[in-house]
Amino acid sequence: MRTFGVEEELLLIDAATGMLAPAAAEVLRNSEGSTHFIDGPTASVDAASMTHELKQEQVELVSAPYTELSALSTAMLQGRQEADRLAALSGARAVALGTYPMRAASRLVRLPRYVAMEKKFGVTLKEQITCGFHVHVSVVSDEEAVAVLDRIRIWLPVLLALSSNSPYWQGTDSGYASFRYQAWRRWPTAGPTDIFGSADAYRELVQTLLQCEVMLDEAMVYFDARLAARHPTVEVRVADVCLEAGDGAAIASLVRALVETAARDWEAGNLPPVCPTEVLRLASWKASSAGLHGSLLHPQENRPCSVDTALAALVAHVRPVLEEYGDLPFVLEAIHRIRLAGTGAERQRRSFRNNESLRDTIFDAVERTQSLVP
């Protein structure tokens, strides 16, 4: 079984007012001496490692690699609970929202790289406070990794729709289920990619991008899925951070199954499915706009289809691997639950309809962040 791990970005809010809290430095100091993941496949599941993100109102939880879905989901939940406990020591709370709903400014973490990004990218950097969900899946070589990227690209918009958890932006309903994805697409390298064909072609493209002197470094290759810089993994970055840990764990399992399925197709000599990148951009836009309400583009047929049709195609594609890994019941239950209870975006909007208060919506999300399922 391939190992997999996740990175979850969380917002920090004031425990009394719900406003963004620039408390990351304090929270990270609070975390010193707490138990961290062991860096390996036999990792402990009792806490998560934590690091800073771009803004002082964010932290990132980084899991170790796991083989068992149950271990990863437990680690994700405990990591969120630990982050909230540490935040509370500084009068804050940790919340899994793709964007902050109310009108607010954010403060940069004053590291040299981030300061250079601020100088170069202006308002794109200034307004950038979004929380994504990154899934890492182990690969045996760069060639396998690029073969995987070429074969999973058509499925990523469905994962975006399933994870959508960012309908509000600066105090208003954006009209999108995932406005995080729209804000993120401001970055010059963000979004879907063409078929690469080989690891050499991937590396050549990255070097060409660097030579254009737009990106500061290779870490700014913000593709929806990419080769990880520091680990032998494929990193799928398309999803919003999920409101509940169980939803995120199910998406991580789907990503791992997509990677394994793609690797097997490559080994069997099957060519990657052809889909113009321009069509993938439209598919991603529809997923960001609609979430699970409305139509999506069929991943294999490039035509509008119902959400249930797109989800069924995804599950059918990876079902043999999900069954082999023992993840199928968990994933099917999660998809059924999300279809009934709604994505994080739908739950936020439902909370707002009930309370007519974005502040109350935020605190409702805080409680959901600390639970495994709705």
Side-chain angles (χ1 to χ4, degrees), residues 45-176:
V45 296
D46 55 6
S49 62
M50 189 185 305
T51 185
H52 63 80
E53 247 301 323
L54 185 69
K55 297 299 180 69
Q56 297 180 35
E57 297 82 5
Q58 294 174 286
V59 292
E60 182 178 61
L61 302 180
V62 183
S63 85
Y66 290 90
T67 55
E68 298 297 330
L69 175 58
S70 59
L72 177 64
S73 62
T74 299
M76 290 173 61
L77 177 60
Q78 293 182 343
R80 288 170 170 222
Q81 292 172 340
E82 179 69 357
D84 191 56
R85 184 188 72 82
L86 294 170
L89 298 177
S90 299
R93 301 294 301 272
V95 60
L97 293 173
T99 54
Y100 181 69
M102 294 195 294
R103 185 176 296 277
S106 56
R107 305 180 189 181
L108 189 69
V109 172
R110 306 304 293 183
L111 294 177
R113 179 173 180 269
Y114 293 161
V115 172
M117 289 173 66
E118 181 181 46
K119 182 178 180 180
K120 189 177 186 70
F121 293 100
V123 72
T124 296
L125 186 285
K126 182 180 180 180
E127 294 184 352
Q128 184 63 50
I129 181 160
T130 63
C131 293
F133 179 61
H134 306 161
V135 183
H136 288 259
V137 183
S138 63
V139 289
V140 298
S141 68
D142 284 354
E143 286 297 338
E144 181 185 65
V146 173
V148 164
L149 295 183
D150 289 349
R151 289 161 176 78
I152 68 172
R153 58 198 283 273
I154 65 171
W155 300 102
L156 300 186
V158 184
L159 298 179
L160 173 60
L162 196 61
S163 72
S164 55
N165 184 32
S166 49
Y168 296 107
W169 180 259
Q170 291 293 333
T172 63
D173 191 318
S174 67
Y176 291 84

Side-chain angles (χ1 to χ4, degrees), residues 155 157-158 161 292 295-300 303 305-316:
W155 300 102
V158 184
L292 298 185
S295 67
L296 299 175
L297 288 188
H298 195 289
Q300 295 162 307
R303 59 171 177 81
C305 69
S306 70
V307 164
D308 288 329
T309 297
L311 289 172
L314 172 60
V315 172

Side-chain angles (χ1 to χ4, degrees), residues 234-257:
V234 165
E235 181 185 2
V236 175
R237 305 165 49 84
V238 72
D240 284 5
V241 68
C242 292
L243 197 53
E244 276 90 12
D247 296 352
I251 289 171
S253 178
L254 286 167
V255 170
R256 179 170 67 163

